[in-house]
Amino acid sequence: MNTRAWIVFLDESGVSLLPQIRRTYAPRGRTPLLRHRLNWKRASMAGALGYHSTDPDRGARLCFHLKPGSYDTTALIEVLEQMKAFYRGEQVVLVWDGLSAHWSRAMRAWVAEQDWLTLERLPAYAPELNPVELLWSSLKKRELANLAGDHLADVADATEQGIHRVNHNPRPPWPFLAHTGLTIHPPHPPNLRKDQ
């Protein structure tokens, strides 16, 4: 593994017009009601959360992609092309799960032509090792909680607001990594050092 590379975790998740029901507060005797159209339209989102392996001062980087429908190999290659531009040719070690589109022949052939990218596979049935899972959880507990949008664009807008919230706060991406129990050396990024 390249020790001067970005370690990037990638994961996909889905959102729909069906609200993510969460507890909320309301005046006594006024139970809140969610009214929605019972529409099954779905969108998929891909998140890539990167940490530099040797220079934590470079901060964590978050790439985000949202599309109607679901991801297949072709759509994921488009995501990786955008990620290549985002990292501007720097070396990337991409860590993701065993989804069939991640390891298809077409994907492996495309990756073989990329000199900037190395793939690593997460162990099977171990979503707790992927910090992007915590990003999805954060979005679904805040921006998407109890959202009963009329159009998929409403859900997309709320999702993008959540991504901006995470992106503009220097602390959340590091705790996402810390929660997995994984470390990238040096172990304490500058905004989490104990001496501050």
Side-chain angles (χ1 to χ4, degrees):
M1 182 183 299
N2 187 335
T3 58
R4 295 183 181 271
W6 285 90
I7 310 301
V8 178
F9 296 86
L10 190 140
D11 191 48
E12 303 86 12
S13 186
V15 290
S16 74
L17 287 178
L18 295 177
Q20 301 278 332
I21 299 172
R22 298 288 184 258
R23 287 184 168 215
T24 188
Y25 295 95
R28 185 174 293 189
R30 292 186 168 164
T31 303
L33 299 175
L34 285 177
R35 299 187 192 283
H36 61 90
R37 298 175 183 236
L38 197 59
N39 190 320
W40 291 93
K41 285 188 180 176
R42 294 186 55 80
S44 294
M45 49 190 181
L49 192 48
Y51 305 89
H52 198 274
S53 60
T54 59
D55 188 1
D57 291 327
R58 295 180 79 177
R61 290 187 181 174
L62 175 61
C63 300
F64 178 73
H65 187 268
L66 183 70
K67 72 178 284 309
S70 58
Y71 285 103
D72 58 10
T73 298
T74 304
L76 284 171
I77 288 173
E78 290 175 16
V79 170
L80 294 179
E81 288 282 5
Q82 290 180 10
M83 197 170 84
K84 179 180 181 180
F86 184 77
Y87 282 98
R88 295 183 183 93
E90 293 190 72
Q91 293 297 305
V92 170
V93 176
L94 183 66
V95 183
W96 57 7
D97 58 28
L99 183 72
S100 59
H102 293 174
W103 300 99
S104 68
R105 283 186 187 163
M107 180 62 77
R108 287 181 299 186
W110 182 84
V111 169
E113 297 173 359
Q114 309 302 312
D115 61 350
W116 62 279
L117 183 63
T118 303
L119 296 183
E120 294 291 337
R121 186 176 184 156
L122 284 167
Y125 309 108
E128 69 279 2
L129 295 179
N130 193 333
V132 181
E133 294 285 353
L134 296 165
L135 170 67
W136 302 146
S137 177
S138 176
L139 294 178
K140 291 176 180 180
K141 287 179 181 172
R142 290 188 66 175
E143 285 79 12
L144 299 175
N146 302 318
L147 176 66
D150 290 328
H151 305 285
L152 210 46
D154 300 332
V155 177
D157 289 345
T159 302
E160 288 180 4
Q161 286 173 3
I163 293 297
H164 289 300
R165 170 181 55 85
V166 171
N167 244 349
H168 289 93
N169 185 339
R171 291 189 67 93
W174 287 106
F176 291 164
L177 179 67
H179 189 77
T180 66
L182 302 173
T183 59
I184 293 177
H185 299 285
H188 297 291
N191 59 348
L192 292 180
R193 286 197 181 117
K194 296 184 194 288
D195 60 347
Q196 291 185 349

